[in-house]
Amino acid sequence: MRESTEAESEECFPAPRRRGGIGSARPDILQHKAVLRLAGWFLSPPQLPGCLPFDASLPGTLPVLNKRCVEAAVMTGLALNCTINKKSLFDRKHYFYADLPAGYQITQLRRPIAVDGVLAYSLLGGKNRSQVVKKTVSIKQIQLEQDSGKSLHDDVRSQTLIDLNRAGVGLMELVMEPDMSCGEEAAAAVRELQLILQALGTCQGNMSEGQLRVDANVSVHQTGEPLGVRTEVKNINSVRYLARAIDYEIRRQMEVLQRGGTVQNETRAYDSKSGETIPMRDKEGLQDYRFMPEPNLPPLIVYEDNASLPAGVDARQVVVVQEIKAALPELPGVKRERLVQTHGILPEHSFTLVNEDGLTEFFEAVLEGTTKEPRKVIGWVTKELVGHLKQRDMSVSQSPISPSALAELLELQETGHISSPVAKQVFQYMWRSPGKTAPQIIREGDLGLVSDTTQLHNICQEVVDSHPDAVHAIRNGNKKVLNKLMGLVQKETKGRADPVLLQRTSPWPAASAVRR
């Protein structure tokens, strides 16, 4: 599924003398195409001893429309607030590549299956990048297409091998309007698209495995002037590389124009090692593709509801829009709002929960096992847990600490069995020793709270006696030093002193004398 997007914003880049927009009119004009695969060919073993003629989409084989592909396209269109065309048409796009045996690609040029949608996405902004900034990008169209094969280049032997396993597989191409102005916005939009597709189940959205590919069209222009000449950066396979490729291409084009040069309408590739885009070929025009109606596929008809079905038509054999709409799952934007409203967490926390695969489910599973307030649990999930996962490049599903284990730890802290510093120590132990429970670690390490008044009083007395300067400061009216002494008690007990008991019993002879 491809997307083509362009947008404008003054937040991503300082206003330069010459601006670009991602498909519109600001520091960079960008279009992307995101290619979404609609079949499970990825990571499957290669066909042996080779592809069948139908699999390879060889000349002479006839296309058969896959109902599941149509349902996936309609579902995606509804999730993106598109208008679903009840009648759409297929076309042939002619061009020759070694990985396209038929010499043409089946697509939808004249009337695609879905048009005029909107993708709402968010990104973190503000001084500390902790403020959620909401933006939208218009969806021009969603069209069904036929995929090509894959060329594998062997630089050592100076040869190219062709993998035709995915040739003929259905895909969606999603085309966005020029509503974005920098790589960060484009990356955020594509990430939101990934989340939507995963929620719908129409695509796993793994860019590194080729399930989702992005082509970015970028141009720059002066404010108030028409859009500039665009270049297309092809087949970007990660959100991070997408942002870098777009930002580099914006800077490159601006430098070309500032030197008095001309930006070429060409196709480029992004080199992740150098961080630069490199030219591949001149950009084809519509006339080069020699579009024509696809003679082997009749018009595609979908129906609004069962009442609109012609007499004698089996509802199981057709695509009904209202049935698909009724089955739509909770989408990422709705989930974020629900998390904020239900649990009282901050919008930026909901952003983190939804954007990390499986983190929302982890968070809500923890809440089921503890009486701790969600606002307190969220820090443990988004900071402690996610911090450890990112340090080790692990996913949420790979966490050695389960939601129930974390909930048990937090409940021990909430009920006063351990202090906050000790809870963090126990978390570290649990991370390193997945087989041990929090109670077991606390028992073996004698990490429970010191709640014996006499024992606590004696420790406080030792701290007071060993810090006469602090006592003198307290007697002179500096009550803040008392907090320092309490901190020393916590240090002496390795964070095990009951903070409530420590303040309530006031076991500070010298300090008490000062208060009198």
Side-chain angles (χ1 to χ4, degrees):
M1 179 177 160
R2 292 183 187 148
E3 6 165 36
S4 145
T5 79
E6 310 185 18
E8 64 179 277
S9 164
E10 297 176 353
E11 298 173 4
C12 299
F13 284 84
R17 185 179 62 184
R18 185 180 296 272
R19 300 182 171 223
I22 299 180
S24 181
R26 284 290 171 133
D28 41 307
I29 151 173
L30 160 89
Q31 263 186 334
H32 343 10
K33 296 177 180 175
V35 178
L36 163 64
R37 305 213 172 279
L38 299 176
W41 60 268
F42 26 81
L43 296 185
S44 59
Q47 300 282 348
L48 295 176
C51 297
L52 296 173
F54 294 102
D55 298 325
S57 189
L58 293 174
T61 58
L62 295 177
V64 177
L65 189 59
N66 186 329
K67 181 186 175 185
R68 171 58 184 155
C69 290
V70 178
E71 291 173 337
V74 171
M75 184 179 294
T76 304
L78 292 172
L80 296 174
N81 303 296
C82 292
T83 298
I84 306 300
N85 283 326
K86 302 305 182 295
K87 177 181 179 181
S88 58
L89 306 173
F90 290 96
D91 303 279
R92 282 190 184 184
K93 177 181 179 182
H94 290 84
Y95 59 92
F96 174 77
Y97 287 133
D99 53 10
L100 193 66
Y104 62 86
Q105 178 189 41
I106 297 176
T107 183
Q108 291 187 307
L109 172 71
R110 293 169 295 163
R111 185 179 293 180
I113 193 166
V115 295
D116 300 333
V118 175
L119 169 62
Y121 65 97
S122 303
L123 63 158
L124 295 177
K127 292 183 179 180
N128 299 323
R129 298 187 62 77
S130 60
Q131 179 183 357
V132 176
V133 180
K134 295 184 178 181
K135 292 182 176 289
T136 60
V137 55
S138 298
I139 306 297
K140 181 180 179 182
Q141 64 190 56
I142 297 175
Q143 59 203 43
L144 287 169
E145 288 193 346
Q146 178 188 42
D147 205 353
S148 62
K150 182 179 181 180
S151 297
L152 305 172
H153 304 292
D154 187 345
D155 295 333
V156 176
R157 297 180 177 83
S158 299
Q159 64 181 5
T160 297
L161 303 177
I162 307 298
D163 181 357
L164 294 177
N165 277 289
R166 74 183 191 192
V169 169
L171 60 83
M172 285 189 288
E173 180 174 291
L174 188 153
V175 183
M176 297 182 185
E177 296 286 7
D179 298 331
M180 296 179 291
S181 63
C182 66
E184 182 183 17
E185 290 185 6
V190 170
R191 177 57 184 147
E192 186 71 10
L193 177 63
Q194 280 182 305
L195 295 173
I196 292 173
L197 297 174
Q198 290 164 356
L200 296 174
T202 55
C203 176
Q204 293 178 342
N206 191 322
M207 297 181 71
S208 63
E209 295 175 4
Q211 298 163 12
L212 174 67
R213 300 198 305 267
V214 176
D215 302 335
N217 291 275
V218 184
S219 71
V220 298
H221 61 97
Q222 295 280 14
T223 303
E225 293 183 357
L227 302 181
V229 177
R230 66 182 175 91
T231 60
E232 182 177 30
V233 186
K234 293 287 289 185
N235 291 334
I236 304 171
N237 64 357
S238 87
V239 170
R240 183 172 68 254
Y241 291 162
L242 172 65
R244 293 177 181 176
I246 290 169
D247 290 343
Y248 172 82
E249 187 60 19
I250 292 168
R251 292 191 297 269
R252 185 192 71 83
Q253 292 187 23
M254 290 175 64
E255 290 172 0
V256 169
L257 295 174
Q258 287 167 358
R259 293 196 305 266
T262 302
V263 175
Q264 300 298 316
N265 182 212
E266 61 185 353
T267 299
R268 301 177 70 89
Y270 177 67
D271 184 344
S272 60
K273 294 182 179 179
S274 66
E276 300 176 350
T277 62
I278 54 178
M280 295 174 61
R281 60 181 181 270
D282 291 340
K283 184 66 182 169
E284 299 91 344
L286 287 177
Q287 69 280 2
D288 298 316
Y289 291 129
R290 292 170 290 126
F291 282 100
M292 61 172 282
E294 168 56 49
N296 293 320
L297 285 175
L300 171 60
I301 307 297
V302 299
Y303 297 92
E304 182 65 25
D305 50 35
N306 288 326
S308 62
L309 294 179
V313 172
D314 186 352
R316 295 172 297 177
Q317 302 299 320
V318 297
V319 174
V320 180
V321 174
Q322 288 302 320
E323 289 184 357
I324 295 176
K325 189 173 184 178
L328 286 177
E330 182 182 48
L331 297 176
V334 176
K335 182 179 291 187
R336 292 190 189 97
E337 293 180 5
R338 176 179 63 79
L339 289 169
V340 171
Q341 296 298 324
T342 304
H343 303 302
I345 62 176
L346 297 174
E348 50 266 33
H349 289 152
S350 71
F351 183 85
T352 302
L353 288 177
V354 175
N355 279 31
E356 293 289 338
D357 186 27
L359 195 60
T360 299
E361 292 74 15
F362 191 103
F363 170 69
E364 294 188 318
V366 173
L367 291 180
E368 291 178 359
T370 180
T371 58
K372 203 174 190 67
E373 292 182 4
R375 281 178 172 266
K376 296 180 180 179
V377 174
I378 190 67
W380 281 89
V381 173
T382 60
K383 293 181 181 178
E384 299 297 329
L385 177 69
V386 172
H388 279 69
L389 292 173
K390 288 190 178 297
Q391 286 178 4
R392 296 157 181 81
D393 195 25
M394 297 167 63
S395 65
V396 175
S397 62
Q398 295 173 313
S399 170
I401 300 178
S402 67
S404 60
L406 180 56
E408 185 178 33
L409 171 63
L410 297 184
E411 188 63 16
L412 289 170
Q413 180 193 359
E414 184 68 14
T415 54
H417 289 81
I418 56 175
S419 65
S420 179
V422 167
K424 292 185 178 181
Q425 291 180 42
V426 175
F427 183 90
Q428 299 284 355
Y429 283 121
M430 292 171 65
W431 188 274
R432 295 193 295 266
S433 306
K436 291 189 175 183
T437 64
Q440 183 181 358
I441 293 171
I442 293 168
R443 185 172 58 255
E444 292 176 356
D446 191 22
L447 299 174
L449 281 181
V450 177
S451 55
D452 183 270
T453 305
T454 302
Q455 181 184 2
L456 202 55
H457 180 93
N458 293 336
I459 295 172
C460 293
Q461 188 64 57
E462 291 176 5
V463 169
V464 168
D465 292 343
S466 59
H467 292 83
D469 292 341
V471 174
H472 180 71
I474 293 175
R475 286 174 176 168
N476 288 332
N478 188 351
K479 296 182 180 180
K480 292 182 179 180
V481 179
L482 186 58
N483 293 329
K484 178 183 177 182
L485 293 179
M486 289 184 178
L488 292 172
V489 172
Q490 289 289 6
K491 183 178 180 181
E492 186 69 22
T493 59
K494 297 181 179 179
R496 295 169 54 233
D498 186 336
V500 177
L501 184 62
L502 190 59
Q503 292 184 2
R504 188 173 67 240
T505 57
S506 300
W508 306 95
S512 297
V514 172
R515 292 194 195 96
R516 290 195 301 269

